[in-house]
Amino acid sequence: MTSTREIPAAPGAAQVPHGQASPAAGAPEVATAPSDGAITLTARVFELPPDDGSPRLPASLQVSIVTYRPDMRLLDRCLRKLLLAVEAARADGVVRTVAIALVDNSANRVVAGSVIRLALARFKDANVQQAFLHGHANIGYGAAHNLVLHGSGADYHLVLNPDVELEPDALAVGVRWLATHPDVGAIAPLVLGGDGTTQEYLCRRYPTVLDLLLRGFAPRLVRRLFHRRLDQYEMRDVIDADPEREVIDIPAMSGACMLVRRSAVDATGGFDPGYFLYFEDYDWTVRLNRVARTAYVPAMRIRHHGGGAARKGLRHLAWFVTSGARFYRKHGWRWA
């Protein structure tokens, strides 16, 4: 089943590019290893609001992808890998029904038409429900995902960037892992760069202002001088464990790829639409950690073709600073 819906443009709404690369959110500093081998950064245990019974396998899955004048080559790769992951999850008996929604923030019918045609062609015989939301102004990254997050009724929701490629078993691994860890509300995958070899560390500890300045804007030589601090910020001390293992209670997860339990979405309300771009994922992680646990699951893998705010021009830098100030006002300033 395919549906398309136009949302009226908001008068005077900003029409701006979408990019996704964020900083991070709050965390304890001590790691302990429970008997199951998973690393935990805190001893807190939160109760999730009850689902209608534990999610059963096979489960239902909703996927949302937000685009803004996307690189169509990358979007095609994203959709092709998503299709392979859906087929593998079905074959593994993990996923039953799948709905995929593309929300185009481009405010341009030509661009939206290209996105729709590409998705229709890619999922033509895939037996997935498709929905397309377009024709509105750029309402922001989190607000656009919220159009799909609320009311889908699916057991799990995958927030996915159009520049991300899922590994073929990513959905099967992620959904099965969540189904067997009912106290966890959201998980983040292991992230490789576009070359498929270099690891990106998108799970972070709560960011200090100094961490953000060093990570996003300092020259390479300065970053080298502070590499131990930045490694700590990027949680490399626990993520680089040998053998690799899950890390429980992640202070800040990247919105490039998040697999979230339905009850955790409902309990938090999804993204805070007050963030236009940047920090909406860190803000959501902080709120998710108040109602559930979060986890880094390295067996779930993706490739990410992303970039930082400092490399995208002054407008992105302004959005980054504005969103960062909102995040700190909401959750607490940490300077160094």
Side-chain angles (χ1 to χ4, degrees):
M1 184 178 93
T2 302
S3 64
T4 181
R5 177 158 63 97
E6 291 199 6
I7 301 175
Q15 299 186 18
V16 288
H18 160 235
Q20 185 61 10
S22 292
E29 296 300 324
V30 179
T32 59
S35 58
D36 62 1
I39 295 173
T40 181
L41 296 178
T42 169
R44 297 174 303 161
V45 178
F46 294 99
E47 292 288 333
L48 280 175
D51 286 314
D52 52 345
S54 297
R56 301 153 302 281
L57 294 182
S60 56
L61 174 70
Q62 171 77 59
V63 182
S64 61
I65 301 172
V66 173
T67 59
Y68 180 91
R69 300 180 184 174
D71 180 325
M72 298 303 290
R73 180 183 59 86
L74 279 181
L75 179 59
D76 184 45
R77 290 170 65 171
C78 170
L79 296 179
R80 283 192 293 111
K81 294 300 181 67
L82 174 58
L83 174 59
L84 291 175
V86 166
E87 292 174 338
R90 280 179 169 157
D92 197 33
V94 173
V95 167
R96 178 182 69 256
T97 60
V98 178
I100 299 171
L102 279 89
V103 185
D104 185 67
N105 273 358
S106 302
N108 184 304
R109 291 176 181 272
V110 174
V111 174
S114 297
V115 170
I116 292 169
R117 285 191 295 273
L118 178 61
L120 288 174
R122 184 57 58 201
F123 293 97
K124 180 180 178 182
D125 301 313
N127 190 27
V128 301
Q129 298 180 22
Q130 294 187 73
F132 304 96
L133 289 77
H134 59 97
H136 53 281
N138 189 349
I139 58 176
Y141 181 79
H145 275 291
N146 281 351
L147 295 174
V148 182
L149 276 167
H150 300 305
S152 76
D155 296 319
Y156 302 102
H157 190 104
L158 179 70
V159 171
L160 190 66
N161 264 21
D163 60 359
V164 164
E165 298 179 65
L166 299 173
E167 289 297 309
D169 65 348
L171 289 179
V173 168
V175 172
R176 188 178 293 280
W177 197 93
L178 271 178
T180 56
H181 294 78
D183 60 329
V184 176
I187 62 174
L190 181 148
V191 182
L192 298 175
D195 61 4
T197 58
T198 305
Q199 184 169 350
E200 295 184 3
Y201 295 85
L202 299 188
C203 290
R204 312 277 173 79
R205 289 187 165 93
Y206 194 93
T208 68
V209 174
L210 179 58
D211 290 330
L212 298 181
L213 292 175
L214 290 172
R215 179 69 175 78
F217 307 106
R220 182 172 300 177
L221 177 60
V222 175
R223 292 201 303 272
R224 286 177 180 170
L225 293 175
F226 287 88
H227 75 90
R228 289 183 180 175
R229 180 190 181 98
L230 291 175
D231 286 354
Q232 178 78 1
Y233 167 54
E234 295 180 338
M235 301 182 66
R236 297 188 187 215
D237 54 323
V238 289
I239 287 177
D240 282 342
D242 186 15
E244 66 183 20
R245 62 190 71 180
E246 295 90 357
V247 181
I248 308 299
D249 296 324
I250 302 300
M253 297 192 300
S254 168
C257 182
M258 301 171 69
L259 184 61
V260 189
R261 189 184 303 277
R262 163 55 44 196
S263 56
V265 174
D266 293 342
T268 58
F271 290 107
D272 178 350
Y275 296 88
F276 180 77
L277 193 61
Y278 304 115
F279 287 91
E280 67 285 311
D281 45 4
Y282 289 2
D283 171 87
W284 196 18
T285 309
V286 172
R287 292 183 290 111
L288 282 165
N289 277 316
R290 292 173 183 160
V291 302
R293 310 195 82 171
T294 53
Y296 161 76
V297 180
M300 180 182 178
R301 296 182 176 233
I302 67 169
R303 292 190 187 187
H304 180 229
H305 304 267
R311 298 190 293 274
K312 295 180 180 177
L314 291 178
R315 286 200 299 179
H316 277 264
L317 181 57
W319 296 326
F320 184 87
V321 171
T322 300
S323 293
R326 177 182 176 86
F327 175 82
Y328 284 121
R329 286 196 303 268
K330 188 173 179 181
H331 300 293
W333 289 84
R334 295 187 190 178
W335 293 96

